[in-house]
């Protein structure tokens, strides 16, 4: 190793380089107000994948395919990356959208070369036979689906410094001390959830409490969430409050401190 590339070992604690979640996941039950809250975040673009923003005034754009997402990304790059936040609405819709892209990726491999070909010699081809890649035997298509989703998510994460992914909640059964109980988790398929959550800095469960929307990062048996940034870790943050006259006050500055 040359002197120019010599390793200097730290002898004291190195300060944290980030304090805010660069990749935030918010999940909740339906009609809790996730999209409305995101619409009130200054500098945010909502990437609407399932018409969730139709009744909300917001900086928003719709996408119905991976081709749409590619075109939007190109436009954002050409505009000089003008947004501070990109909100993906929702993870579930992006997961569905990634199926077609997974088939594109698979069809370019030697084993998937004939995926889109028509029936040959009386035998149906891959796409014609299975309908979509997730119906392949022994779950073989899920590998390509995970790869496709990860590629799309990585691409969207280049659009802005901060990404917010909105997701739905699902009930799961867990066992503790021999007893089963219900818990709430992010609604996303199997191993793909590991990819999505491993890339996130914070996962918060949003719920309503009276006139307030509360974003919980408290890890518990009942709700599976948490946060790396210390100002959110194991905390509950009041994200919005609605006054008697209907005025909504947002507190995104409690999530993104020192903006």
């Amino acid at each position: 190793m040359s002197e120019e590339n010599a390793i200097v070992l730290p002898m004291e604690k190195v300060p944290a380089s980030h304090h805010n979640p660069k990749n935030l996941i918010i999940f909740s039950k339906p009609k809790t107000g996730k999209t409305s809250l995101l619409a009130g975040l200054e500098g945010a673009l909502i990437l609407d994948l399932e018409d969730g923003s139709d009744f909300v005034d917001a900086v928003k754009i719709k996408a119905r395919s991976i081709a749409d997402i590619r075109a939007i990304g190109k436009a954002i790059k050409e505009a000089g990356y003008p947004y501070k936040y990109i909100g993906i609405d929702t993870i579930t819709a992006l997961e569905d959208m990634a199926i077609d892209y997974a088939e594109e990726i698979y069809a370019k491999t030697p084993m998937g070369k004939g995926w889109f070909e028509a029936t040959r010699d009386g035998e149906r081809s891959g796409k014609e036979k299975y309908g979509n890649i997730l119906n392949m035997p022994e779950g073989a298509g899920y590998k390509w689906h995970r790869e496709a989703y990860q590629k799309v998510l990585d691409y969207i994460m280049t659009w802005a410094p901060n990404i917010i992914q909105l997701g739905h909640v699902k009930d799961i059964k867990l066992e503790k001390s021999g007893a089963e109980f219900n818990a709430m988790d992010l609604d996303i398929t199997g191993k793909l959830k590991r990819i999505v959550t491993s890339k996130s800095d914070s996962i918060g469960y949003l719920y309503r409490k009276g006139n307030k929307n509360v974003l919980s990062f408290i890890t518990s048996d009942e709700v599976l969430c948490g946060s790396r940034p210390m100002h959110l870790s194991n905390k509950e943050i009041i994200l919005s409050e609605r006054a008697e006259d209907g005025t909504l006050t947002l507190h995104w500055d409690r999530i993104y401190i020192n903006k």
Side-chain angles (χ1 to χ4, degrees):
M1 181 180 293
S2 67
E3 291 185 6
E4 292 181 0
N5 297 322
I7 298 295
V8 178
L9 296 175
M11 296 301 170
E12 297 179 354
K13 290 183 178 180
V14 179
S17 58
H18 294 282
H19 300 285
N20 295 323
K22 293 187 295 180
N23 188 349
L24 168 64
I25 294 174
I26 298 176
F27 70 105
S28 73
K29 294 180 178 179
K31 313 303 180 188
T32 310
K34 298 185 295 296
T35 305
S36 297
L37 292 172
L38 188 55
L41 177 58
E42 186 176 351
L45 170 70
I46 298 178
L47 181 63
D48 185 350
L49 306 180
E50 57 178 25
D51 298 329
S53 67
D54 281 357
F55 297 95
V56 177
D57 295 336
V59 179
K60 56 189 178 180
I61 190 167
K62 291 189 178 185
R64 289 294 173 269
S65 65
I66 299 301
D68 288 347
I69 290 176
R70 291 190 187 110
I72 292 167
K74 183 174 182 291
I76 288 174
K77 179 180 179 180
E78 291 172 350
Y81 300 101
Y83 305 107
K84 190 171 183 179
Y85 309 90
I86 299 292
I88 302 174
D89 190 5
T90 64
I91 294 174
T92 304
L94 186 61
E95 180 183 7
D96 292 341
M97 201 175 287
I99 294 174
D100 289 342
Y101 185 35
E103 293 179 349
E104 289 181 30
I105 295 172
Y106 178 63
K108 293 176 181 178
T109 66
M111 68 185 74
K113 187 176 180 180
W115 178 258
F116 291 112
E117 292 183 9
T119 300
R120 295 177 299 176
D121 301 325
E123 185 172 342
R124 290 183 297 171
S125 65
K127 175 71 171 175
E128 187 178 349
K129 183 176 181 179
Y130 298 116
N132 74 55
I133 199 167
L134 299 186
N135 295 327
M136 290 175 65
E138 300 180 3
Y142 282 91
K143 170 187 181 297
W144 303 103
H145 184 227
R146 292 192 295 271
E147 180 178 336
Y149 189 99
Q150 187 166 1
K151 284 178 180 291
V152 177
L153 181 58
D154 287 348
Y155 178 53
I156 294 173
M157 288 179 68
T158 66
W159 296 1
N162 306 285
I163 303 297
I164 303 170
Q165 301 183 69
L166 303 185
H168 302 303
V169 69
K170 69 175 177 182
D171 291 326
I172 59 173
K173 286 191 177 296
L174 296 177
E175 184 175 328
K176 185 176 182 180
S177 302
E180 282 192 348
F181 62 95
N182 289 328
M184 289 182 289
D185 195 8
L186 178 65
D187 186 10
I188 195 166
T189 304
K191 294 180 181 179
L192 180 58
K193 189 177 73 171
R194 286 209 298 268
I195 293 174
V196 175
T197 56
S198 67
K199 285 182 174 290
S200 71
D201 303 307
S202 302
I203 305 172
Y205 173 66
L206 183 71
Y207 69 95
R208 282 182 179 162
K209 186 176 182 180
N211 66 334
K212 300 178 176 64
N213 276 96
V214 182
L215 189 56
S216 176
F217 297 98
I218 297 176
T219 302
S220 68
D221 289 338
E222 289 77 25
V223 184
L224 306 180
C225 52
S227 177
R228 292 190 184 107
M230 295 307 297
H231 69 287
L232 302 176
S233 180
N234 214 34
K235 301 285 196 334
E236 286 201 330
I237 307 296
I238 296 175
L239 193 53
S240 73
E241 300 174 83
R242 189 174 294 280
E244 291 184 3
D245 63 0
T247 303
L248 185 67
T249 302
L250 301 177
H251 300 294
W252 280 107
D253 57 325
R254 297 173 181 176
I255 305 297
Y256 298 102
I257 57 176
N258 301 323
K259 292 193 293 182

